[in-house]
């Protein structure tokens, strides 16, 4: 089986570095980008199985980007997991309504983070 691929979209450099380190240490191939425009570019070339999507981005917000990804037949199969500090019940519902396949709250639980990502990857693979 191929190494899983995860694209991380987050404008916070510390988040990018920490999450990239954890996933790479767990044998997951990672590309990280700081904004939606970079994400749209790298989605085509990297072909991630899962996109870890910050909701507050500097140009196009994460929910708008998720809608674009899910509306495109060539990318809609990619799992999008919201990765945000928004924690209210209504916020989670908005994320799912926009097309997110799941939700991970910041700050992350380091001990269970990679297991959570692997669970999302397995769920996405089983739905293909």
């Amino acid at each position: 089986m191929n190494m899983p691929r995860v694209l991380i979209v987050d404008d916070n450099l510390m988040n990018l570095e920490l999450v990239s380190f954890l996933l790479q240490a767990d044998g997951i191939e990672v590309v990280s980008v700081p904004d939606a425009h970079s994400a749209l570019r790298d989605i085509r070339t990297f072909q991630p199985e899962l996109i870890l999507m910050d909701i507050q981005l500097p140009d196009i917000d994460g929910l708008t980007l998720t809608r674009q990804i899910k509306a495109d037949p060539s990318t809609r199969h990619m799992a999008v997991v919201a990765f945000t500090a928004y924690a209210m019940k209504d916020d989670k519902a908005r994320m799912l309504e926009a097309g997110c396949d799941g939700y991970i709250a910041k700050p992350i639980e380091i001990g269970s983070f990679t297991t959570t990502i692997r669970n999302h990857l397995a769920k996405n693979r089983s739905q293909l």
Side-chain angles (χ1 to χ4, degrees):
M1 186 174 289
N2 294 341
M3 182 183 288
R5 294 174 178 224
V6 173
L7 177 69
I8 306 164
V9 185
D10 197 321
D11 61 332
N12 182 303
L13 182 60
M14 288 179 51
N15 285 338
L16 286 176
E17 289 177 357
L18 174 62
V19 172
S20 293
F21 174 80
L22 292 171
L23 294 176
Q24 288 169 340
D26 198 52
I28 295 172
E29 190 173 351
V30 173
V31 167
S32 58
V33 296
D35 57 58
H37 294 292
S38 300
L40 288 169
R41 178 196 66 221
D42 288 354
I43 284 170
R44 302 280 180 225
T45 56
F46 184 57
Q47 291 291 306
E49 289 180 61
L50 186 141
I51 301 166
L52 199 53
M53 181 74 70
D54 185 17
I55 300 306
Q56 286 189 305
L57 295 171
D59 48 4
I60 300 169
D61 71 80
L63 295 182
T64 300
L65 180 56
T66 298
R67 287 184 194 96
Q68 290 176 5
I69 292 165
K70 293 300 186 171
D72 184 336
S74 68
T75 57
R76 73 172 48 137
H77 66 282
M78 297 173 183
V80 178
V81 176
F83 182 53
T84 184
Y86 289 128
M88 304 304 288
K89 183 179 178 183
D90 291 343
D91 292 326
K92 185 174 180 180
R94 281 186 324 115
M95 291 172 212
L96 297 175
E97 186 177 290
C100 293
D101 299 288
Y103 171 89
I104 296 175
K106 293 178 189 174
I108 63 170
E109 289 289 328
I110 291 175
S112 61
F113 179 73
T114 57
T115 300
T116 301
I117 294 297
R118 288 215 176 257
N119 288 340
H120 283 290
L121 286 163
K123 180 180 175 187
N124 192 52
R125 285 183 175 180
S126 72
Q127 293 175 350
L128 295 179

